[in-house]
Amino acid sequence: MMRGGRSLVSSPPAFSNDAKKLLVCTSNTVSVFSTVTGLLITSLEGHTALVTSVIVVPPSNPAAKVLCYCWTASLDGTIRYWDFSLPELMKTIDIRMPIFSMVIPSFLDVPAEENGKHQDLFAYVSIEDTKETQERTKASRRQIRKCNLSKSRLVGRLILGETRKPEVLTVSPSGKFFGIRNKCKLHIWKVLDQGSERAAVRKITLHHTKKITVIAFHPTQRIIAAGDVTGRILTWRGFGNRAFAASNGVADQKLINVQEDKPGVRDNDDADSCSTWHWHSAEVNVLSFSSDGSYLYSGGKEGVLVVWQLDTGKKKFLPRIGSPLLYFIDSPDPTLSSISCADNQIHLLKMPSMGILKTISGIKAPCFYPDIYEGLGNGIAFDQTAGIVAVRTENYCIQFYSLFDDRGVSEVQVCERNHQPGDDVIVTSVALSIDGSLMSTSEVKLAEEGIGGLVCLKFWDAGSQNKEFSLSTIVYEPHRDAGISAVKFHPSGNMVVSSSFGGDFKVWKCNHDVIQNDQMRQNFSWTCHSVGSYKKKPMTAAAFSADGSVLAVAAETLITLWNPYKNVLLAVLGETLTPIVNLSFVGKSDNLVAASCGSNPQLSVWNMSKLSVSWSYKLHIEAVASAVDLSSFAALVLLPESSKKTTFKGMDGVILLFNATDPVPTVIWSVRKAKGGALCFVQVNPSSVEEISIDGKAPEVLLAYMNGDHEYVLFDPYCKDAREVSVSQKEGLAAHDHKGQAGQYGYASIYGELPEFDRKRPEAPWVPSFPSDRPWETIFSGSSHNLPPLTKLCSAFLESLLEKRTAAAE
Amino acid sequence: MAEIRAEEPASTISKTFLIKPKLKSKPRSLPQTPESKYWSSFKSTKIPNLVSSISSLSFSPSPPHLFATAYSTSVSLFSPLSLSDGDVSPSSTISSFSDVVSSIAFRNDGLLLAASDLSGLIQVFDVKTRTPLRRLRSHTRPVRFVKYPVLDKLHLLSGGDDAVVKFWDVAGESLVLDLMGHKDYVRCSDCSPVSPDLFVTGSYDHTVKVWDVRVENSRSVLEVNHGKPVEDVIYLPSGGLIATAGGNSVKLWDLIGGGRMVYSMESHNKTVTSICVGRVRKENDGAESMEDRILSVGLDGYMKVFDFGNMKVTHSMRFPAPLMSVSFSPDCRTRVIGTSNGIIFAGRRKGKENVESGRVGNVLGFESISEPERRVLRPTYFRYFHRGQSEKPTEGDYLVMRNKKIKLAEHDKLLKKFRHKDALVSVLSRKNRENVVAVMEELVARKKLLKCVSNLDSDELGLLLTFLSKNATMPRYSSLLMGLTKKVIETRVEDIRNSDALKGHIRNLKRSIEEELRIQHSLQEIQDLGTSRASLVNLFRGLGNIHLPSLQTSLTPAALLTSASLILMFGNKSRMVFVNFF
């Protein structure tokens, strides 16, 4: 079982101490990426729910920089301690309450163990108390608690605060303060130096009139910045002078003097001054001070990173990032930082110049359109041979995402415009040819009060070497002003059918001529080959048979069969109750699957030889997939509301695997978030067989299921018991890159890498007497005058022992 | 090779997109072969207003390769150099002829020019002074050709309607030989490029005869039958092959092989009137070489380029008149074609190469004159600040490519700032209708077009109405603009009533829509006729100018209905009939 397509931006990532790795929370796991190559190195697996925080243990001295330890907290109620270089789980603390956020302020205050007295390490967690549901109101179940990590337990009944919603804790870089936002208020706690369990933590509150969205602490001074929903950034200086200083025994008199003029500070808040900056037009999501404290980074929905000079308020911009910003993380390396965007991309920035070095690209989230346009597919197309999925993104792109490698491959801008939220341009469908070299997309521009609507059909071809798609043909209004319901490729790739709600379908044919200028270049152009219609009924779905000789087009409730080359109507198949939305031929067999939706949804299988229905179910089908050379197909079924609660816990869909001739499904899997999902059989190409194996043998096809959030899973549908698919990562690639960039030390830095030790020489059979696999059994046998000299024998003997040990270790 | 590197990737991730008009469909044309590219690179100049048919064209063998044209009773000399400057007046004209000039020939040093006319007289002129030096009279009937042997400066060859080929001694104005044998008019001849004694003549008796002046009894040494009256004959540069033109065909003959026909090229539709040898530059594996071609022109108005190495027609070019004569300059830079109605199509190529077609060794050309010396750059010159910028990269240099700068038009900038109305006004005042429509479409996508329309003040509204009255009926834009026009009039009816200027615009709009309706009506009638009577359709198809697909596209029912309803809105009741009609 291979999972992928997870969100990289559910929680803030963290840099390792040498800034060579980036730890990203990806649902149940933490993925470790190389910051140089942007590729996945390893992942920490163990949590059973969403990981909400990852904290890298900072080095206590410069030598400890190479250590790779981190704490993670998750919604499954555990806090875990990892060595992420191996990766290995070191420790698990179960507090049995979902943790929304965790901070560990006092790393620096924990003295090294050499003085003999080990001090406890404390974390502050934002949790939901699930136990005391009866006694307490729901409002106050979200609590801020303290946790003793060394002793693996929560600290007594100490509840620092209660909030209505789960809030994110923010800690100051110095580790002295941490705080949360609570609607229009800010709560700040001061961490006491002594890590005794019961020590009361002091708290102050700062007030604002708008809802606060994000806060940040200054690394050295007592400055806190907060962003609100209107886009303002507030900076309080000298917060907590009164409350926190009192504990340190400073005279009260000084405080009174301070109290006299507090420009901008609301009510009787404990701060010296408060200033406001306003540039953002919408809510501020990102707020972070630079490590020296002279700059403040802010960002929000506009996708612009703003750098404020703290003293003067002067601004610098990194514009057009293209998606709302979520997190900005500084790394220990002053030249590197990262921004996480809402479109599931993490950009690594080269710091002073703010150029983008690398992008860690996750699958982009599905885009939701208001339900005004009919025939909007889910915008997902699969390249079965290469294991690549093409998904539609919000900014009119098609993202190509490798299912096996779990990373973005490329992106194609379908519609040449910048994304603005109010615009009514929709990429409606995308189709890929079987070999993945041709693509067809359709887009629609909705009319403004009846004028100016436009439907566009575009054909793309991939260059032979770089796999970048380039536009070959645009067809404006292919079916006059009617929308396109389906676009399908012929198995040979040189024919496309597009069906429209306007009552006709068109078959497009590809003429390609080879232009031979400086390099060989193929020039594809598509022209309309034929037009067909059946009783002026809207054509709602289309499919080619596996050999390409039959074209099935659904005319609302009927299925019409055509010869695509001669444009001859072959047959018309019976009637369903509601319009058919999905047609698919089952492999090479003579069966056709039709799915209709609406009030009377139906999944029906038609026999082509008898031209009659074989069997049908009343099921709401979201997607149908059939492999090219198999006689079975898989259907993704949306469960009706009534059965959701009773039989399937939280699951809203099932995948059914049918043999086309048999109405009883062979296998059933239940899945979540099936709405907007997609299914596909993916062929395992021989080159990657050694990477994917199930119980040692390689499957021929895998079934890919992608849910409504574009998370996907790949599994072998025909493997009955073993569900575990072991995937050996492309370690070679990632590890090699990692080695290349990890700075060279000592000898290597002066003289370069040592040449590879030539292992072949000692293996050469210069001792002719032991050809056996287990030389220690035969090495000393035979007459003594036949034996080689003892020095040679001895080394061979020892070597054989060594070999045995390594074999055992494996 | 210098390494080319892109500049550090820019910090922007999303790109800037310009507002572009919709793509137009391009006519599908065959890709150009290198050879047709070569022939198309002759920049064509038209020399008009020569009185009648251009009977003969000839290039001077010596640089600058003047060419002489024979038309009516005069001979004009043109300089190819002035042609490339666009000057089409002749550099000099000889008009001391009593009858129509039939043929002209340069001597191989380019100093003398022989011309024959239909009165039977042959005159030899000095090219510089244009004075007639010798007058050769012996032909009793019109002379059709006169030729100087390629390797001989002293003799002249002529022939005409008296079926006799005459060999002249020019200096003594005396006839050397009378060559009898042709049974009909002798129309053409060519002299061997390899021997001063051999020549070939073609006649209307369908035969081509090869003559040798050394043969005593004045009989032809070889005879081939073309099968049609021979219009032109040439030696190919090797001297062993000849090409003959007659009827619709050009035939190649192997003289050394005893007069065997090698190939017959029959791609002209009418009589081939003239042929000549042209040269084309070929690049084979980087090495340049010249290859010979036969250029043939015919009464069908086509010039065809025939590759007699591969026996293929490699290029074909159409001219708007029957063609009478063709010639190709020895330096391969000029080709001239004469038509039957007194126009010369001269084509001249750019380029410095000074390739001779092999007949005459060239010593000096105009091209070799050195260019003016470049001035030393001083800081007061503007060029001083650009010095070194055209330097070519050397091997091992890193060439840093800068990202291409995107030029934003004013409406692009305004749209980026969401100033929609200003963008619309700005593009309306630019008068590029494709851009206007593109901006309107972008505004539709942003759902802002109608808001813009309602915000326009009266001047800007006038601008919009002017645009609409000009373009609303264009079929390409009508689906958008018709709807827009309707909306504009609906929303701004008060403003239009209050302003006389706007009323004027509305009148223009009304007029253009009425006209469009009239056109569509008549087209519809044609189509109706066509559907009822298939023969009429064929008639219209035969007419060629009206073809039915274009009719159908312009007759989109939506456009018709909107235009009809617009008319209704203006209160023109008489147009109701169209609505019913459609």
Side-chain angles (χ1 to χ4, degrees):
Chain A
M1 187 114 68
M2 259 171 93
R3 288 178 183 281
R6 291 172 290 207
S7 170
L8 304 176
V9 294
S10 59
S11 324
F15 278 101
S16 68
N17 289 324
D18 55 357
K20 299 280 199 280
K21 294 171 185 171
L22 184 69
L23 283 77
V24 182
C25 301
T26 48
S27 75
N28 297 353
T29 62
V30 175
S31 301
V32 182
F33 289 94
S34 160
T35 56
V36 175
T37 60
L39 297 177
L40 184 71
I41 298 171
T42 178
S43 62
L44 313 178
E45 291 169 14
H47 282 291
T48 55
L50 184 73
V51 180
T52 51
S53 298
V54 54
I55 301 162
V56 175
V57 177
S60 50
N61 52 47
K65 260 194 169 180
V66 291
L67 292 179
C68 300
Y69 296 107
C70 69
W71 291 92
T72 58
S74 157
L75 289 181
D76 62 1
T78 56
I79 299 171
R80 291 173 194 238
Y81 185 53
W82 309 81
D83 183 343
F84 59 83
S85 60
L86 293 177
E88 197 176 344
L89 177 63
M90 316 271 286
K91 186 176 181 182
T92 306
I93 301 164
D94 193 358
I95 60 170
R96 289 183 289 279
M97 281 181 273
I99 304 165
F100 297 110
S101 177
M102 175 176 77
V103 293
I104 306 175
S106 49
F107 278 124
L108 295 175
D109 298 338
V110 178
E113 283 189 37
E114 63 231 22
N115 61 6
K117 197 179 111 200
H118 174 71
Q119 264 192 312
D120 292 348
L121 182 67
F122 290 102
Y124 296 88
V125 289
S126 164
I127 58 168
E128 179 171 16
D129 197 341
T130 49
K131 282 182 287 189
E132 306 162 79
T133 40
Q134 287 89 354
E135 303 159 28
R136 293 161 155 272
T137 55
K138 209 178 173 194
S140 56
R141 273 165 47 203
R142 275 69 187 251
Q143 301 165 343
I144 314 293
R145 302 277 287 259
K146 190 175 179 184
C147 178
N148 188 331
L149 295 177
S150 305
K151 291 184 180 150
S152 310
R153 59 186 169 85
L154 284 177
V155 176
R157 294 210 152 266
L158 181 65
I159 296 170
L160 297 171
E162 289 173 341
T163 56
R164 197 169 279 274
K165 284 182 187 161
E167 295 294 353
V168 176
L169 294 164
T170 311
V171 69
S172 73
S174 60
K176 291 217 172 60
F177 306 99
F178 65 93
I180 59 164
R181 63 194 169 90
N182 185 4
K183 286 188 280 187
C184 301
K185 289 181 291 225
L186 276 183
H187 302 301
I188 305 166
W189 287 270
K190 182 178 166 67
V191 180
L192 294 184
D193 294 339
Q194 296 309 312
S196 65
E197 280 196 3
R198 295 278 163 187
V201 184
R202 284 169 185 277
K203 168 178 137 180
I204 62 162
T205 303
L206 299 171
H207 295 83
H208 181 46
T209 52
K210 299 286 183 320
K211 209 173 155 230
I212 291 168
T213 52
V214 64
I215 57 175
F217 288 93
H218 193 276
T220 50
Q221 291 165 282
R222 274 196 186 180
I223 300 176
I224 183 166
D228 71 8
V229 287
T230 60
R232 289 181 176 81
I233 297 166
L234 300 113
T235 334
W236 284 277
R237 287 165 191 271
F239 63 88
N241 270 344
R242 213 172 358 153
F244 296 153
S247 67
N248 292 349
V250 181
D252 287 341
Q253 211 156 13
K254 196 178 165 189
L255 288 171
I256 293 160
N257 295 342
V258 175
Q259 210 169 351
E260 279 170 0
D261 54 332
K262 297 199 286 186
V265 179
R266 206 163 284 283
D267 300 341
N268 200 18
D269 283 354
D270 191 359
D272 287 350
S273 67
C274 177
S275 57
T276 305
W277 288 330
H278 197 173
W279 181 86
H280 294 277
S281 61
E283 103 187 45
V284 182
N285 289 333
V286 172
L287 214 49
S288 170
F289 284 96
S290 66
S291 53
D292 62 346
S294 52
Y295 293 98
L296 176 69
Y297 302 100
S298 72
K301 204 181 167 191
E302 308 89 351
V304 179
L305 186 68
V306 185
V307 187
W308 304 84
Q309 198 175 16
L310 202 60
D311 295 334
T312 59
K314 280 181 183 163
K315 298 181 289 285
K316 231 174 84 180
F317 303 99
L318 171 60
R320 280 192 245 126
I321 297 170
S323 181
L325 307 184
L326 295 179
Y327 314 109
F328 177 89
I329 305 292
D330 251 334
S331 78
D333 182 354
T335 62
L336 191 70
S337 60
S338 84
I339 40 174
S340 304
C341 296
D343 61 356
N344 212 1
Q345 315 276 308
I346 297 177
H347 303 293
L348 297 168
L349 297 186
K350 185 181 171 159
M351 219 30 223
S353 62
M354 297 207 288
I356 286 166
L357 286 175
K358 269 279 173 312
T359 298
I360 299 169
S361 156
I363 198 160
K364 293 201 173 176
C367 34
F368 296 104
Y369 296 112
D371 205 13
I372 36 175
Y373 183 72
E374 57 176 345
L376 196 57
N378 53 12
I380 301 172
F382 289 91
D383 180 356
Q384 301 188 356
T385 47
I388 284 174
V389 62
V391 294
R392 163 181 74 192
T393 69
E394 203 168 25
N395 53 348
Y396 317 114
C397 285
I398 300 290
Q399 186 192 23
F400 288 87
Y401 196 84
S402 168
L403 293 174
F404 293 127
D405 298 341
D406 194 13
R407 61 186 157 95
V409 178
S410 60
E411 232 171 72
V412 174
Q413 184 84 34
V414 171
C415 185
E416 290 206 329
R417 40 186 300 120
N418 286 317
H419 175 64
Q420 288 152 12
D423 290 1
D424 275 339
V425 177
I426 301 172
V427 177
T428 52
S429 65
V430 52
L432 283 172
S433 68
I434 285 181
D435 60 348
S437 66
L438 299 166
M439 179 171 73
S440 171
T441 60
S442 69
E443 67 198 52
V444 63
K445 188 171 71 177
L446 298 179
E448 183 189 11
E449 297 190 24
I451 57 169
L454 182 70
V455 183
C456 253
L457 182 64
K458 290 181 177 173
F459 296 97
W460 307 77
D461 60 82
S464 48
Q465 312 97 331
N466 52 3
K467 274 284 172 192
E468 286 283 306
F469 277 94
S470 61
L471 186 63
S472 62
T473 306
I474 304 182
V475 185
Y476 296 111
E477 308 202 318
H479 300 276
R480 291 191 300 282
D481 51 347
I484 295 171
S485 57
V487 179
K488 287 281 164 66
F489 270 91
H490 191 267
S492 68
N494 57 12
M495 208 183 252
V496 164
V497 62
S498 68
S499 61
S500 90
F501 298 109
D504 61 346
F505 70 89
K506 287 190 179 180
V507 176
W508 307 87
K509 212 164 185 187
C510 178
N511 322 304
H512 62 275
D513 37 53
V514 180
I515 291 177
Q516 205 160 16
N517 39 14
D518 38 352
Q519 78 254 36
M520 276 275 266
R521 206 177 140 263
Q522 282 191 314
N523 191 13
F524 292 89
S525 67
W526 293 81
T527 47
C528 184
H529 174 247
S530 59
V531 186
S533 68
Y534 185 75
K535 292 185 178 171
K536 297 264 183 254
K537 287 191 176 184
M539 300 293 193
T540 48
F544 280 105
S545 67
D547 58 351
S549 60
V550 179
L551 166 66
V553 185
E556 274 196 316
T557 57
L558 299 167
I559 301 170
T560 56
L561 301 176
W562 304 76
N563 181 336
Y565 306 108
K566 293 177 181 161
N567 201 30
V568 177
L569 181 64
L570 301 173
V572 180
L573 295 186
E575 198 149 8
T576 57
L577 293 167
T578 43
I580 293 166
V581 292
N582 203 333
L583 272 180
S584 174
F585 279 91
V586 181
K588 294 231 187 298
S589 71
D590 52 354
N591 288 296
L592 174 68
V593 186
S596 54
C597 68
S599 55
N600 272 310
Q602 192 178 3
L603 171 72
S604 49
V605 175
W606 300 79
N607 192 313
M608 288 293 101
S609 51
K610 294 174 192 158
L611 295 177
S612 65
V613 67
S614 312
W615 51 269
S616 71
Y617 278 111
K618 186 177 175 182
L619 287 173
H620 194 290
I621 300 295
E622 185 70 21
V624 172
S626 61
V628 177
D629 46 359
L630 294 167
S631 62
S632 55
F633 68 94
L636 176 62
V637 179
L638 283 187
L639 293 172
E641 290 293 327
S642 55
S643 69
K644 230 181 256 181
K645 286 174 188 134
T646 53
T647 44
F648 302 95
K649 275 192 176 171
M651 306 289 190
D652 60 351
V654 290
I655 300 172
L656 305 174
L657 185 69
F658 287 103
N659 198 325
T661 51
D662 186 9
V664 180
T666 36
V667 200
I668 299 180
W669 300 274
S670 59
V671 294
R672 285 175 214 277
K673 290 178 189 161
K675 182 91 183 135
L679 276 181
C680 184
F681 283 95
V682 175
Q683 289 167 8
V684 180
N685 49 339
S687 63
S688 60
V689 161
E690 66 274 10
E691 294 169 17
I692 301 157
S693 62
I694 299 167
D695 299 342
K697 50 181 197 284
E700 284 179 5
V701 287
L702 295 173
L703 184 61
Y705 162 63
M706 179 168 274
N707 73 8
D709 288 348
H710 285 181
E711 291 179 23
Y712 65 85
V713 60
L714 283 172
F715 55 95
D716 183 7
Y718 299 105
C719 201
K720 288 284 180 293
D721 30 49
R723 288 277 176 265
E724 284 305 309
V725 182
S726 73
V727 179
S728 72
Q729 300 282 346
K730 287 184 178 167
E731 294 281 6
L733 182 67
H736 176 76
D737 291 332
H738 193 65
K739 192 172 98 187
Q741 49 87 20
Q744 293 179 322
Y745 302 105
Y747 179 85
S749 64
I750 301 168
Y751 300 107
E753 293 280 337
L754 278 175
E756 278 289 313
F757 179 62
D758 188 7
R759 258 188 237 155
K760 271 189 186 155
R761 210 157 13 116
E763 281 168 10
W766 47 270
V767 181
S769 57
F770 50 97
S772 146
D773 286 334
R774 299 155 73 181
W776 61 89
E777 287 179 355
T778 56
I779 197 164
F780 298 113
S781 61
S783 55
S784 60
H785 65 268
N786 273 347
L787 283 179
L790 197 62
T791 49
K792 291 189 174 180
L793 265 183
C794 193
S795 64
F797 178 64
L798 284 173
E799 197 178 297
S800 71
L801 290 182
L802 284 171
E803 272 173 15
K804 192 189 169 199
R805 277 292 294 276
T806 52
E810 278 171 4
Chain B
M1 195 55 223
E3 190 174 332
I4 297 179
R5 286 182 167 184
E7 219 172 45
E8 282 275 303
S11 59
T12 55
I13 299 162
S14 63
K15 294 159 260 174
T16 307
F17 299 109
L18 301 179
I19 310 299
K20 279 185 225 145
K22 275 195 238 173
L23 298 175
K24 275 187 215 163
S25 59
K26 273 179 277 182
R28 284 207 284 151
S29 58
L30 293 168
Q32 269 196 327
T33 60
E35 178 142 351
S36 54
K37 204 181 263 177
Y38 173 86
W39 290 109
S40 313
S41 71
F42 284 87
K43 192 180 156 238
S44 193
T45 319
K46 208 158 116 176
I47 305 173
N49 299 337
L50 305 177
V51 179
S52 78
S53 170
I54 312 295
S55 51
S56 180
L57 284 166
S58 181
F59 273 98
S60 160
S62 66
H65 303 297
L66 296 173
F67 65 90
T69 63
Y71 59 94
S72 183
T73 57
S74 46
V75 170
S76 287
L77 288 163
F78 291 90
S79 162
L81 292 178
S82 66
L83 270 188
S84 48
D85 303 335
D87 178 15
V88 294
S89 57
S91 56
S92 57
T93 302
I94 306 166
S95 46
S96 56
F97 297 99
S98 56
D99 205 338
V100 173
V101 181
S102 59
S103 176
I104 43 178
F106 276 100
R107 200 168 75 172
N108 59 15
D109 53 2
L111 296 175
L112 295 184
L113 175 72
S116 62
D117 60 30
L118 295 188
S119 67
L121 182 66
I122 299 164
Q123 302 182 68
V124 177
F125 297 92
D126 183 356
V127 172
K128 286 231 173 77
T129 60
R130 289 170 303 182
T131 47
L133 302 176
R134 296 287 185 275
R135 299 162 70 87
L136 311 173
R137 182 178 284 280
S138 165
H139 281 288
T140 52
R141 303 285 300 273
V143 184
R144 289 295 174 180
F145 71 87
V146 60
K147 280 273 181 230
Y148 263 107
V150 176
L151 302 172
D152 182 2
K153 288 185 179 177
L154 305 172
H155 296 94
L156 199 61
L157 189 71
S158 70
D161 289 359
D162 50 6
V164 182
V165 179
K166 293 179 190 282
F167 194 63
W168 301 85
D169 175 32
V170 179
E173 279 188 323
S174 61
L175 191 64
V176 179
L177 275 174
D178 263 339
L179 302 167
M180 315 287 241
H182 280 297
K183 299 186 184 73
D184 204 337
Y185 302 162
V186 187
R187 297 291 293 190
C188 52
S189 86
D190 196 22
C191 301
S192 166
V194 291
S195 154
D197 305 319
L198 281 173
F199 52 90
V200 59
T201 59
S203 154
Y204 272 7
D205 62 1
H206 302 189
T207 60
V208 174
K209 289 180 195 286
V210 184
W211 307 89
D212 191 338
V213 290
R214 296 165 295 189
V215 175
E216 292 200 347
N217 55 3
S218 304
R219 295 274 303 271
S220 68
V221 288
L222 194 74
E223 180 181 318
V224 294
N225 193 338
H226 182 84
K228 284 274 167 61
V230 180
E231 293 286 350
D232 203 358
V233 60
I234 52 165
Y235 266 102
L236 297 183
S238 64
L241 288 173
I242 58 165
T244 58
N248 297 348
S249 60
V250 174
K251 291 185 179 175
L252 258 70
W253 308 87
D254 184 0
L255 292 186
I256 297 166
R260 181 177 60 89
M261 190 175 83
V262 180
Y263 190 79
S264 170
M265 189 265 282
E266 315 201 354
S267 66
H268 280 281
N269 291 325
K270 288 184 182 171
T271 305
V272 184
T273 50
S274 178
I275 52 179
C276 74
V277 174
R279 311 198 98 191
V280 65
R281 191 173 49 179
K282 272 274 180 192
E283 283 185 37
N284 291 328
D285 309 327
E288 279 189 17
S289 61
M290 301 300 288
E291 280 188 16
D292 290 314
R293 299 281 183 269
I294 296 176
L295 309 185
S296 62
V297 296
L299 294 179
D300 54 359
Y302 275 96
M303 180 198 81
K304 307 246 178 196
V305 179
F306 181 68
D307 177 1
F308 54 88
N310 299 321
M311 304 299 173
K312 254 197 313 200
V313 175
T314 51
H315 185 67
S316 168
M317 209 171 192
R318 166 114 210 238
F319 292 92
L323 307 180
M324 297 303 291
S325 48
V326 63
S327 190
F328 194 77
S329 80
D331 65 352
C332 298
R333 291 187 54 195
T334 320
R335 61 120 185 83
V336 286
I337 293 171
T339 67
S340 65
N341 54 7
I343 298 171
I344 293 175
F345 294 99
R348 182 147 173 91
R349 278 183 77 223
K350 282 183 194 158
K352 287 234 155 57
E353 84 269 22
N354 206 352
V355 190
E356 291 301 306
S357 64
R359 299 193 177 192
V360 176
N362 172 43
V363 202
L364 270 175
F366 268 63
E367 285 86 359
S368 59
I369 289 173
S370 59
E371 287 180 22
E373 217 172 284
R374 304 192 92 187
R375 285 188 296 178
V376 179
L377 291 177
R378 300 222 175 81
T380 50
Y381 298 164
F382 181 67
R383 267 202 304 136
Y384 179 83
F385 298 100
H386 286 274
R387 66 193 191 278
Q389 289 192 352
S390 57
E391 195 74 20
K392 292 278 187 306
T394 56
E395 198 167 324
D397 278 358
Y398 289 125
L399 195 67
V400 179
M401 300 293 286
R402 188 171 291 171
N403 284 339
K404 205 175 166 191
K405 197 185 167 194
I406 299 169
K407 191 166 184 303
L408 292 174
E410 198 188 344
H411 58 262
D412 281 320
K413 285 178 194 158
L414 292 167
L415 281 173
K416 270 162 73 91
K417 292 174 187 162
F418 303 95
R419 289 168 61 186
H420 297 127
K421 192 199 83 171
D422 296 344
L424 182 62
V425 172
S426 136
V427 75
L428 276 172
S429 54
R430 284 293 156 85
K431 308 246 187 279
N432 183 336
R433 63 169 167 245
E434 286 182 350
N435 283 348
V436 175
V437 173
V439 168
M440 282 176 177
E441 280 170 348
E442 173 65 22
L443 289 175
V444 165
R446 297 185 184 190
K447 296 271 169 288
K448 292 288 185 297
L449 181 58
L450 296 184
K451 184 157 253 176
C452 287
V453 167
S454 61
N455 287 343
L456 293 174
D457 66 24
S458 67
D459 288 348
E460 293 158 352
L461 188 61
L463 212 56
L464 178 64
L465 286 173
T466 319
F467 173 79
L468 288 176
S469 64
K470 276 183 190 156
N471 298 297
T473 54
M474 286 189 71
R476 280 191 66 193
Y477 312 124
S478 62
S479 63
L480 171 68
L481 295 185
M482 282 292 179
L484 178 65
T485 314
K486 201 173 162 191
K487 291 276 178 195
V488 169
I489 294 167
E490 270 174 12
T491 49
R492 304 299 298 265
V493 62
E494 288 299 317
D495 302 288
I496 292 167
R497 259 182 213 149
N498 294 339
S499 157
D500 283 336
L502 292 181
K503 275 184 196 159
H505 291 308
I506 290 291
R507 268 193 293 280
N508 289 340
L509 186 61
K510 199 166 143 185
R511 202 174 303 131
S512 68
I513 288 172
E514 274 173 11
E515 189 182 345
E516 176 69 13
L517 265 182
R518 210 157 35 238
I519 291 168
Q520 304 242 344
H521 186 202
S522 54
L523 288 174
Q524 182 79 37
E525 276 175 350
I526 291 168
Q527 205 180 25
D528 284 352
L529 285 175
T531 48
S532 58
R533 283 176 223 159
S535 58
L536 259 179
V537 176
N538 289 335
L539 180 68
F540 278 117
R541 279 195 184 137
L543 282 174
N545 291 331
I546 307 167
H547 46 97
L548 291 173
S550 73
L551 270 184
Q552 279 159 355
T553 50
S554 61
L555 268 177
T556 50
L560 278 176
L561 281 179
T562 39
S563 48
S565 64
L566 267 174
I567 289 294
L568 279 181
M569 220 169 55
F570 295 133
N572 197 338
K573 293 275 189 259
S574 65
R575 295 292 167 184
M576 272 291 284
V577 63
F578 292 123
V579 182
N580 296 333
F581 183 77
F582 299 132

